[in-house]
Every structure is written in C-alpha cells, then in structure tokens.
mmCIF file of all heavy atoms in Angstrom:
data_model
loop_
_atom_site.group_PDB
_atom_site.id
_atom_site.type_symbol
_atom_site.label_atom_id
_atom_site.label_comp_id
_atom_site.label_asym_id
_atom_site.label_seq_id
_atom_site.Cartn_x
_atom_site.Cartn_y
_atom_site.Cartn_z
ATOM 1 N N ARG A 1 -5.491 -4.163 -24.642
ATOM 2 C CA ARG A 1 -6.715 -4.159 -23.850
ATOM 3 C C ARG A 1 -6.475 -4.363 -22.351
ATOM 4 O O ARG A 1 -7.354 -4.841 -21.639
ATOM 5 C CB ARG A 1 -7.677 -5.229 -24.374
ATOM 6 C CG ARG A 1 -8.161 -4.949 -25.787
ATOM 7 C CD ARG A 1 -9.247 -5.911 -26.219
ATOM 8 N NE ARG A 1 -9.744 -5.617 -27.553
ATOM 9 C CZ ARG A 1 -10.651 -4.693 -27.824
ATOM 10 N NH1 ARG A 1 -11.179 -3.981 -26.851
ATOM 11 N NH2 ARG A 1 -11.050 -4.491 -29.063
ATOM 12 N N ASN A 2 -5.300 -3.990 -21.883
ATOM 13 C CA ASN A 2 -5.063 -4.072 -20.438
ATOM 14 C C ASN A 2 -5.949 -3.083 -19.693
ATOM 15 O O ASN A 2 -6.468 -3.371 -18.622
ATOM 16 C CB ASN A 2 -3.590 -3.778 -20.152
ATOM 17 C CG ASN A 2 -3.236 -3.912 -18.690
ATOM 18 O OD1 ASN A 2 -3.087 -5.011 -18.179
ATOM 19 N ND2 ASN A 2 -3.095 -2.787 -18.005
ATOM 20 N N GLY A 3 -6.108 -1.900 -20.254
ATOM 21 C CA GLY A 3 -6.967 -0.864 -19.685
ATOM 22 C C GLY A 3 -7.792 -0.232 -20.781
ATOM 23 O O GLY A 3 -7.737 -0.622 -21.949
ATOM 24 N N ILE A 4 -8.562 0.795 -20.427
ATOM 25 C CA ILE A 4 -9.455 1.421 -21.392
ATOM 26 C C ILE A 4 -8.680 2.033 -22.555
ATOM 27 O O ILE A 4 -9.069 1.915 -23.714
ATOM 28 C CB ILE A 4 -10.323 2.499 -20.701
ATOM 29 C CG1 ILE A 4 -11.250 1.845 -19.679
ATOM 30 C CG2 ILE A 4 -11.135 3.282 -21.737
ATOM 31 C CD1 ILE A 4 -12.061 2.823 -18.870
ATOM 32 N N ASN A 5 -7.552 2.680 -22.264
ATOM 33 C CA ASN A 5 -6.783 3.325 -23.332
ATOM 34 C C ASN A 5 -5.287 3.145 -23.078
ATOM 35 O O ASN A 5 -4.517 4.103 -23.134
ATOM 36 C CB ASN A 5 -7.138 4.807 -23.426
ATOM 37 C CG ASN A 5 -6.667 5.430 -24.726
ATOM 38 O OD1 ASN A 5 -6.392 4.744 -25.712
ATOM 39 N ND2 ASN A 5 -6.552 6.748 -24.737
ATOM 40 N N ASP A 6 -4.868 1.913 -22.806
ATOM 41 C CA ASP A 6 -3.454 1.629 -22.580
ATOM 42 C C ASP A 6 -2.738 1.421 -23.910
ATOM 43 O O ASP A 6 -3.283 0.808 -24.838
ATOM 44 C CB ASP A 6 -3.276 0.366 -21.727
ATOM 45 C CG ASP A 6 -3.511 0.640 -20.250
ATOM 46 O OD1 ASP A 6 -3.472 1.821 -19.855
ATOM 47 O OD2 ASP A 6 -3.723 -0.325 -19.488
ATOM 48 N N TRP A 7 -1.506 1.932 -23.984
ATOM 49 C CA TRP A 7 -0.660 1.754 -25.164
ATOM 50 C C TRP A 7 0.691 1.204 -24.731
ATOM 51 O O TRP A 7 1.246 1.632 -23.719
ATOM 52 C CB TRP A 7 -0.452 3.091 -25.886
ATOM 53 C CG TRP A 7 -1.620 3.501 -26.719
ATOM 54 C CD1 TRP A 7 -2.840 3.933 -26.268
ATOM 55 C CD2 TRP A 7 -1.677 3.524 -28.145
ATOM 56 N NE1 TRP A 7 -3.658 4.216 -27.331
ATOM 57 C CE2 TRP A 7 -2.973 3.986 -28.502
ATOM 58 C CE3 TRP A 7 -0.775 3.215 -29.161
ATOM 59 C CZ2 TRP A 7 -3.380 4.133 -29.829
ATOM 60 C CZ3 TRP A 7 -1.169 3.357 -30.483
ATOM 61 C CH2 TRP A 7 -2.463 3.817 -30.807
ATOM 62 N N ARG A 8 1.208 0.248 -25.498
ATOM 63 C CA ARG A 8 2.555 -0.264 -25.267
ATOM 64 C C ARG A 8 3.581 0.669 -25.911
ATOM 65 O O ARG A 8 3.412 1.091 -27.036
ATOM 66 C CB ARG A 8 2.749 -1.652 -25.882
ATOM 67 C CG ARG A 8 1.966 -2.791 -25.293
ATOM 68 C CD ARG A 8 2.290 -3.185 -23.854
ATOM 69 N NE ARG A 8 3.598 -2.845 -23.326
ATOM 70 C CZ ARG A 8 4.699 -3.598 -23.418
ATOM 71 N NH1 ARG A 8 4.665 -4.746 -24.054
ATOM 72 N NH2 ARG A 8 5.816 -3.215 -22.839
ATOM 73 N N PRO A 9 4.663 0.985 -25.186
ATOM 74 C CA PRO A 9 5.748 1.733 -25.825
ATOM 75 C C PRO A 9 6.361 0.897 -26.948
ATOM 76 O O PRO A 9 6.200 -0.325 -26.990
ATOM 77 C CB PRO A 9 6.758 1.932 -24.690
ATOM 78 C CG PRO A 9 6.037 1.561 -23.428
ATOM 79 C CD PRO A 9 4.962 0.614 -23.803
ATOM 80 N N ALA A 10 7.064 1.541 -27.853
ATOM 81 C CA ALA A 10 7.816 0.798 -28.866
ATOM 82 C C ALA A 10 8.813 -0.115 -28.160
ATOM 83 O O ALA A 10 9.508 0.308 -27.230
ATOM 84 C CB ALA A 10 8.551 1.777 -29.789
ATOM 85 N N HIS A 11 8.880 -1.377 -28.581
ATOM 86 C CA HIS A 11 9.766 -2.314 -27.912
ATOM 87 C C HIS A 11 10.115 -3.479 -28.831
ATOM 88 O O HIS A 11 9.420 -3.753 -29.803
ATOM 89 C CB HIS A 11 9.131 -2.852 -26.621
ATOM 90 C CG HIS A 11 7.859 -3.602 -26.845
ATOM 91 N ND1 HIS A 11 6.643 -2.969 -27.020
ATOM 92 C CD2 HIS A 11 7.601 -4.935 -26.940
ATOM 93 C CE1 HIS A 11 5.699 -3.876 -27.204
ATOM 94 N NE2 HIS A 11 6.252 -5.085 -27.173
ATOM 95 N N ILE A 12 11.201 -4.154 -28.476
ATOM 96 C CA ILE A 12 11.635 -5.366 -29.167
ATOM 97 C C ILE A 12 11.771 -6.465 -28.132
ATOM 98 O O ILE A 12 12.364 -6.272 -27.077
ATOM 99 C CB ILE A 12 12.966 -5.147 -29.904
ATOM 100 C CG1 ILE A 12 12.800 -4.076 -30.990
ATOM 101 C CG2 ILE A 12 13.466 -6.455 -30.521
ATOM 102 C CD1 ILE A 12 14.088 -3.751 -31.737
ATOM 103 N N HIS A 13 11.202 -7.631 -28.419
ATOM 104 C CA HIS A 13 11.271 -8.778 -27.520
ATOM 105 C C HIS A 13 12.593 -9.526 -27.713
ATOM 106 O O HIS A 13 13.071 -9.670 -28.837
ATOM 107 C CB HIS A 13 10.117 -9.745 -27.798
ATOM 108 C CG HIS A 13 8.764 -9.163 -27.552
ATOM 109 N ND1 HIS A 13 8.111 -9.272 -26.339
ATOM 110 C CD2 HIS A 13 7.935 -8.462 -28.367
ATOM 111 C CE1 HIS A 13 6.933 -8.671 -26.423
ATOM 112 N NE2 HIS A 13 6.807 -8.170 -27.637
ATOM 113 N N TYR A 14 13.143 -10.017 -26.603
ATOM 114 C CA TYR A 14 14.388 -10.784 -26.626
ATOM 115 C C TYR A 14 14.184 -12.137 -25.953
ATOM 116 O O TYR A 14 13.541 -12.227 -24.896
ATOM 117 C CB TYR A 14 15.481 -10.057 -25.848
ATOM 118 C CG TYR A 14 16.241 -9.001 -26.604
ATOM 119 C CD1 TYR A 14 15.634 -7.820 -27.000
ATOM 120 C CD2 TYR A 14 17.590 -9.173 -26.913
ATOM 121 C CE1 TYR A 14 16.332 -6.840 -27.681
ATOM 122 C CE2 TYR A 14 18.309 -8.197 -27.592
ATOM 123 C CZ TYR A 14 17.676 -7.038 -27.968
ATOM 124 O OH TYR A 14 18.380 -6.066 -28.647
ATOM 125 N N SER A 15 14.751 -13.171 -26.552
ATOM 126 C CA SER A 15 14.885 -14.483 -25.919
ATOM 127 C C SER A 15 16.364 -14.842 -25.978
ATOM 128 O O SER A 15 16.953 -14.841 -27.067
ATOM 129 C CB SER A 15 14.047 -15.536 -26.644
ATOM 130 O OG SER A 15 14.394 -16.843 -26.205
ATOM 131 N N ILE A 16 16.957 -15.152 -24.822
ATOM 132 C CA ILE A 16 18.407 -15.344 -24.746
ATOM 133 C C ILE A 16 18.727 -16.702 -24.145
ATOM 134 O O ILE A 16 18.197 -17.078 -23.093
ATOM 135 C CB ILE A 16 19.052 -14.232 -23.897
ATOM 136 C CG1 ILE A 16 18.746 -12.868 -24.522
ATOM 137 C CG2 ILE A 16 20.554 -14.448 -23.767
ATOM 138 C CD1 ILE A 16 18.882 -11.714 -23.580
ATOM 139 N N PHE A 17 19.578 -17.459 -24.829
ATOM 140 C CA PHE A 17 20.118 -18.716 -24.317
ATOM 141 C C PHE A 17 21.601 -18.517 -24.055
ATOM 142 O O PHE A 17 22.372 -18.249 -24.985
ATOM 143 C CB PHE A 17 19.935 -19.855 -25.336
ATOM 144 C CG PHE A 17 18.517 -20.285 -25.541
ATOM 145 C CD1 PHE A 17 17.734 -19.708 -26.518
ATOM 146 C CD2 PHE A 17 17.974 -21.289 -24.752
ATOM 147 C CE1 PHE A 17 16.421 -20.117 -26.721
ATOM 148 C CE2 PHE A 17 16.653 -21.702 -24.944
ATOM 149 C CZ PHE A 17 15.881 -21.117 -25.928
ATOM 150 N N GLY A 18 22.026 -18.645 -22.801
ATOM 151 C CA GLY A 18 23.443 -18.525 -22.467
ATOM 152 C C GLY A 18 24.142 -19.864 -22.557
ATOM 153 O O GLY A 18 23.819 -20.710 -23.393
ATOM 154 N N THR A 19 25.103 -20.087 -21.662
ATOM 155 C CA THR A 19 25.843 -21.355 -21.671
ATOM 156 C C THR A 19 25.077 -22.471 -20.976
ATOM 157 O O THR A 19 25.435 -23.639 -21.107
ATOM 158 C CB THR A 19 27.205 -21.173 -20.990
ATOM 159 O OG1 THR A 19 27.003 -20.699 -19.639
ATOM 160 C CG2 THR A 19 28.059 -20.163 -21.746
ATOM 161 N N GLY A 20 24.042 -22.129 -20.221
ATOM 162 C CA GLY A 20 23.216 -23.123 -19.551
ATOM 163 C C GLY A 20 21.766 -22.692 -19.577
ATOM 164 O O GLY A 20 21.453 -21.495 -19.629
ATOM 165 N N PHE A 21 20.843 -23.662 -19.539
ATOM 166 C CA PHE A 21 19.427 -23.330 -19.642
ATOM 167 C C PHE A 21 18.952 -22.481 -18.462
ATOM 168 O O PHE A 21 17.990 -21.711 -18.585
ATOM 169 C CB PHE A 21 18.594 -24.610 -19.734
ATOM 170 C CG PHE A 21 17.194 -24.364 -20.230
ATOM 171 C CD1 PHE A 21 16.956 -24.185 -21.583
ATOM 172 C CD2 PHE A 21 16.128 -24.282 -19.352
ATOM 173 C CE1 PHE A 21 15.667 -23.938 -22.052
ATOM 174 C CE2 PHE A 21 14.839 -24.030 -19.807
ATOM 175 C CZ PHE A 21 14.604 -23.864 -21.163
ATOM 176 N N ALA A 22 19.637 -22.591 -17.308
ATOM 177 C CA ALA A 22 19.254 -21.788 -16.143
ATOM 178 C C ALA A 22 19.487 -20.298 -16.372
ATOM 179 O O ALA A 22 18.980 -19.471 -15.621
ATOM 180 C CB ALA A 22 20.027 -22.252 -14.908
ATOM 181 N N GLN A 23 20.257 -19.951 -17.399
ATOM 182 C CA GLN A 23 20.491 -18.547 -17.730
ATOM 183 C C GLN A 23 19.425 -17.983 -18.666
ATOM 184 O O GLN A 23 19.467 -16.799 -18.991
ATOM 185 C CB GLN A 23 21.859 -18.383 -18.396
ATOM 186 C CG GLN A 23 23.050 -18.536 -17.470
ATOM 187 C CD GLN A 23 24.356 -18.319 -18.217
ATOM 188 O OE1 GLN A 23 24.600 -18.944 -19.240
ATOM 189 N NE2 GLN A 23 25.190 -17.446 -17.708
ATOM 190 N N ARG A 24 18.496 -18.793 -19.094
ATOM 191 C CA ARG A 24 17.487 -18.346 -20.073
ATOM 192 C C ARG A 24 16.814 -17.062 -19.596
ATOM 193 O O ARG A 24 16.383 -16.951 -18.446
ATOM 194 C CB ARG A 24 16.434 -19.449 -20.257
ATOM 195 C CG ARG A 24 15.320 -19.081 -21.249
ATOM 196 C CD ARG A 24 15.780 -19.273 -22.677
ATOM 197 N NE ARG A 24 14.836 -18.722 -23.644
ATOM 198 C CZ ARG A 24 13.699 -19.296 -24.028
ATOM 199 N NH1 ARG A 24 13.334 -20.459 -23.498
ATOM 200 N NH2 ARG A 24 12.934 -18.725 -24.939
ATOM 201 N N LEU A 25 16.728 -16.103 -20.488
ATOM 202 C CA LEU A 25 16.107 -14.824 -20.163
ATOM 203 C C LEU A 25 15.205 -14.398 -21.305
ATOM 204 O O LEU A 25 15.607 -14.422 -22.466
ATOM 205 C CB LEU A 25 17.183 -13.752 -19.928
ATOM 206 C CG LEU A 25 16.664 -12.332 -19.654
ATOM 207 C CD1 LEU A 25 15.928 -12.269 -18.314
ATOM 208 C CD2 LEU A 25 17.813 -11.326 -19.684
ATOM 209 N N ILE A 26 13.977 -14.021 -20.972
ATOM 210 C CA ILE A 26 13.055 -13.427 -21.940
ATOM 211 C C ILE A 26 12.717 -12.035 -21.432
ATOM 212 O O ILE A 26 12.273 -11.870 -20.289
ATOM 213 C CB ILE A 26 11.784 -14.274 -22.103
ATOM 214 C CG1 ILE A 26 12.135 -15.672 -22.631
ATOM 215 C CG2 ILE A 26 10.794 -13.590 -23.039
ATOM 216 C CD1 ILE A 26 10.968 -16.610 -22.750
ATOM 217 N N THR A 27 12.956 -11.025 -22.251
ATOM 218 C CA THR A 27 12.776 -9.657 -21.798
ATOM 219 C C THR A 27 12.374 -8.765 -22.962
ATOM 220 O O THR A 27 12.122 -9.248 -24.069
ATOM 221 C CB THR A 27 14.070 -9.143 -21.121
ATOM 222 O OG1 THR A 27 13.826 -7.887 -20.497
ATOM 223 C CG2 THR A 27 15.207 -9.014 -22.115
ATOM 224 N N GLN A 28 12.305 -7.465 -22.712
ATOM 225 C CA GLN A 28 11.947 -6.500 -23.738
ATOM 226 C C GLN A 28 12.902 -5.312 -23.675
ATOM 227 O O GLN A 28 13.363 -4.933 -22.596
ATOM 228 C CB GLN A 28 10.509 -6.009 -23.552
ATOM 229 C CG GLN A 28 9.468 -7.107 -23.660
ATOM 230 C CD GLN A 28 8.053 -6.597 -23.452
ATOM 231 O OE1 GLN A 28 7.766 -5.427 -23.636
ATOM 232 N NE2 GLN A 28 7.149 -7.487 -23.076
ATOM 233 N N MET A 29 13.179 -4.755 -24.831
ATOM 234 C CA MET A 29 14.033 -3.578 -24.937
ATOM 235 C C MET A 29 13.190 -2.387 -25.380
ATOM 236 O O MET A 29 12.420 -2.479 -26.342
ATOM 237 C CB MET A 29 15.139 -3.828 -25.967
ATOM 238 C CG MET A 29 16.102 -2.670 -26.140
ATOM 239 S SD MET A 29 17.066 -2.790 -27.681
ATOM 240 C CE MET A 29 15.910 -2.024 -28.841
#
C-alpha cells in the first residue's frame, strides 16, 4: 500500500552479524 498499485519485486530479507555489532547489516536480495 505504498502507492495505488505498487508491487514489491521478489526478494529475500537478510540480517547479518559480523565480528562486531557495528557491522550489523539488514538488507534485501
């Protein structure tokens, strides 16, 4: 419902924890 007829592309969500919390990344593929 962002717009009248908006569609999200196919995607997979990622949450990544590296060696330190400052590297935390949340993104989409």
Side-chain angles (χ1 to χ4, degrees):
R1 295 188 178 278
N2 183 77
I4 295 175
N5 195 19
D6 281 342
W7 282 71
R8 293 295 337 272
H11 61 279
I12 298 178
H13 297 268
Y14 276 68
S15 168
I16 301 160
F17 291 91
T19 58
F21 196 79
Q23 288 182 307
R24 179 80 190 282
L25 177 67
I26 298 177
T27 189
Q28 298 179 23
M29 181 197 85

